[in-house]
Amino acid sequence: MKKIDKKVADSYFREKTRNMIIYFIVWFLVSYGVVLLAEPLSEFTINGFPFHYFMGAQGAVITFIILLFVNAKLGDAIDRKYGIDEEKNRQISSGKVLDH
């Protein structure tokens, strides 16, 4: 398995960390922000339920599932950008020889 240059590795982890911080901010806003703003958000309704109740019951779960898919898609794109290929890693770990 080839070694990754320190600058490339630092850039890779900086980008992955930035994305995780963004996901945590979205998670916080959806989980706690809606609760903290429940009173003003109760004016809006979705399917007859106040918005804050809907976000607590359904919206947070849907948002988390969407975040999982976004993380997978962006994570794969970042891996490809920095030359970290999951298929090659799988082949290497199984003992197969790779053509360079």
Side-chain angles (χ1 to χ4, degrees):
M1 200 158 148
K2 75 175 189 175
K3 294 199 177 214
I4 298 174
D5 183 40
K6 174 120 172 74
K7 286 184 180 180
V8 173
D10 288 344
S11 297
Y12 172 79
F13 284 110
R14 193 174 316 114
E15 202 164 334
K16 291 286 254 188
T17 303
R18 184 198 66 213
N19 284 354
M20 289 306 295
I21 290 169
I22 292 169
Y23 302 146
F24 283 133
I25 290 170
V26 171
W27 167 80
F28 180 81
L29 291 175
V30 169
S31 295
Y32 295 105
V34 173
V35 173
L36 294 173
L37 300 172
E39 194 66 37
L41 291 175
S42 64
E43 297 174 13
F44 304 104
T45 60
I46 296 178
N47 292 333
F49 294 102
F51 181 74
H52 69 279
Y53 176 79
F54 178 80
M55 283 303 292
Q58 302 295 327
V61 175
I62 292 168
T63 303
F64 298 148
I65 292 170
I66 290 170
L67 278 176
L68 288 173
F69 283 105
V70 168
N71 180 42
K73 205 69 163 145
L74 289 178
D76 287 345
I78 292 170
D79 290 350
R80 280 191 303 277
K81 177 180 173 183
Y82 289 98
I84 300 170
D85 188 1
E86 188 174 323
E87 183 60 34
K88 283 185 183 177
N89 288 340
R90 202 173 300 128
Q91 289 173 352
I92 289 170
S93 66
S94 68
K96 295 180 182 175
V97 177
L98 297 176
D99 294 329
H100 294 284

